[in-house]
Amino acid sequence: MLNINQLTITLKDKLILDKLSLEIHPGEIHVIMGPNGSGKSTLAQVLAGNPIYNVSNGFVLFKGENLLNQKPELRSLNGLFLAFQSPVEISGLNNMYFLKSMLNAHRKFKNLSELDSIEFLTLIDLKIEQLKIEKSSLGRNFNNGFSGGEKKMNEMLQILLLEPDLIILDEIDSGLDIDALKLVMFNISSLLKKQKSFIIITHYTKVLEYIQPNFVHILSHGKIVKSGTREIAFQIEQVGYENIH
Ligand code: ADP
Ligand code: MG
């Protein structure tokens, strides 16, 4: 699904990712943990196509194709999704209108017929029920005045609509109450059964109570310094990053 090879990223001469390599197969979950500023969000942003970062070395293959020369919108259409650590608010953009346009753009790309309003409403009703999202949030502007947790659930709603193949969750658990987190993790498990792949960036071991990751990677100063089972995460919770070797 994803092959990151010796990826080196700089921003204004500052080295942020340092020869990072990672391989993810369909249906795998990779959890990435690491101290603040270690480069976790940068990795997510670079994969999604944020143009501010410079790729100074390495390459990334997504479904066998060179990812880094694709525009962000093509990456999305090809099945890559990033749930932002801090989703933006867009005033003047109705949430329902955004979600419908997003889904129909993807359907069109796959040569499927676009959903009309009634078909879309039927589908979205089902999805917001799955996530216990309040229907009124659909009529509001995109993330405008949403709480931190509501913004994260709105990201999750996009995931349920699109069912992307590679889903990157940048601290989806930050800001979610325990019931919302359980719903998110339950839906992640359902997507795993469809062979979707996940990169889950987190600071907490809570998510590991609901899913069994294939790997936990520790990122430090832009390098993966340790990879292993979820035991690593529990170890870190006990002793902190400073004492991990
Ligand atoms: P993490 O998500 O692991 O906390 P980030 O990837 O956000 O870390 O940041 C890694 C490093 O790169 C930090 O030192 C951060 O300050 C720097 N960095 C990332 N994005 C930017 C940016 N847009 N402008 C300036 N510095 C940045
Ligand atoms: Mg971050």
Side-chain angles (χ1 to χ4, degrees):
M1 182 71 78
L2 188 75
N3 181 350
I4 305 175
N5 200 295
Q6 300 275 311
L7 184 64
T8 302
I9 298 295
T10 54
L11 182 70
K12 300 186 194 109
D13 295 332
K14 181 184 155 122
L15 180 66
I16 307 184
L17 294 182
D18 188 6
K19 300 197 194 87
L20 188 143
S21 295
L22 187 65
E23 200 172 331
I24 303 180
H25 297 108
E28 283 187 355
I29 302 184
H30 290 242
V31 167
I32 298 183
M33 304 181 85
N36 295 324
S38 55
K40 304 180 298 296
S41 292
T42 300
L43 174 63
Q45 295 276 334
V46 167
L47 294 175
N50 186 331
I52 69 166
Y53 299 100
N54 314 307
V55 181
S56 33
N57 207 352
F59 64 88
V60 179
L61 299 179
F62 175 51
K63 298 182 180 174
E65 304 217 1
N66 183 351
L67 180 76
L68 299 177
N69 63 7
Q70 293 174 18
K71 287 185 175 169
E73 52 269 37
L74 186 61
R75 302 180 195 201
S76 166
L77 291 168
N78 281 331
L80 186 147
F81 187 94
L82 167 61
F84 291 109
Q85 180 173 351
S86 312
V88 293
E89 299 190 9
I90 307 177
S91 34
L93 175 65
N94 176 274
N95 198 24
M96 177 94 93
Y97 177 83
F98 167 75
L99 294 167
K100 180 166 173 262
S101 311
M102 173 196 78
L103 178 63
N104 276 335
H106 279 75
R107 289 181 63 88
K108 202 171 161 183
F109 184 74
K110 291 180 192 152
N111 287 322
L112 296 170
S113 65
E114 294 183 39
L115 299 187
D116 64 26
S117 294
I118 292 172
E119 290 167 326
F120 181 73
L121 280 173
T122 311
L123 178 69
I124 196 96
D125 271 352
L126 208 76
K127 301 299 179 189
I128 60 171
E129 172 60 30
Q130 261 170 271
L131 294 172
K132 302 267 179 288
I133 288 176
E134 273 191 44
K135 199 167 187 173
S136 62
S137 72
L138 295 173
R140 291 164 64 184
N141 281 341
F142 187 72
N143 285 337
N144 234 215
F146 285 29
S147 72
E150 285 171 336
K151 286 179 184 170
K152 297 298 176 92
M153 290 309 266
N154 208 32
E155 299 285 281
M156 203 56 214
L157 179 58
Q158 293 163 51
I159 292 171
L160 291 196
L161 285 171
L162 296 178
E163 300 201 341
D165 296 320
L166 175 65
I167 300 161
I168 306 167
L169 303 172
D170 193 357
E171 298 194 22
I172 190 90
D173 46 352
S174 304
L176 287 185
D177 65 52
I178 191 68
D179 297 324
L181 181 64
K182 278 186 189 167
L183 284 170
V184 164
M185 298 320 288
F186 175 79
N187 281 288
I188 288 175
S189 299
S190 308
L191 288 164
L192 273 172
K193 291 188 189 115
K194 299 183 179 177
Q195 289 299 98
K196 307 301 185 184
S197 306
F198 286 86
I199 296 177
I200 302 182
I201 296 168
T202 183
H203 281 298
Y204 307 107
T205 51
K206 193 84 200 154
V207 297
L208 303 175
E209 290 175 20
Y210 305 102
I211 44 134
Q212 173 84 53
N214 299 83
F215 292 96
V216 173
H217 307 282
I218 307 303
L219 195 64
S220 176
H221 301 290
K223 280 177 186 285
I224 290 180
V225 291
K226 200 174 171 79
S227 293
T229 63
R230 65 177 167 187
E231 294 314 315
I232 297 180
F234 296 125
Q235 214 182 332
I236 284 165
E237 197 163 55
Q238 298 293 321
V239 302
Y241 291 111
E242 294 282 315
N243 299 304
I244 280 290
H245 300 290

